[in-house]
Amino acid sequence: MMLLSFFLHAFVLVAQVPGATQVVSEDIPGIVKAGTKIELVKSGLDGADDPIGLPDGATLFTEPPANRI
């Protein structure tokens, strides 16, 4: 679960680069296949920490400077 959280966080950070088209370069077994396009799901955050993937596909994370989840 910790590995999944790390990669979700990394995807969010990479996806925040304006105009960048990124894909996953290598398989992460059980997580994501190589060639999967990274999709920006939220921008304009003042930091995003502690992502949690939910069974329905939603992702929760904290935004400490804004004091919200």
Side-chain angles (χ1 to χ4, degrees), residues 11-55:
F11 292 153
V12 169
L13 293 176
V14 170
Q16 289 181 5
V17 177
T21 301
Q22 301 279 332
V23 295
V24 177
S25 60
E26 297 181 24
D27 279 347
I28 303 171
I31 309 277
V32 65
K33 292 190 180 286
T36 300
K37 183 178 175 184
I38 297 171
E39 178 183 348
L40 176 64
V41 294
K42 179 67 178 158
S43 64
L45 299 172
D46 192 15
D49 292 328
D50 309 320
I52 300 171
L54 300 178

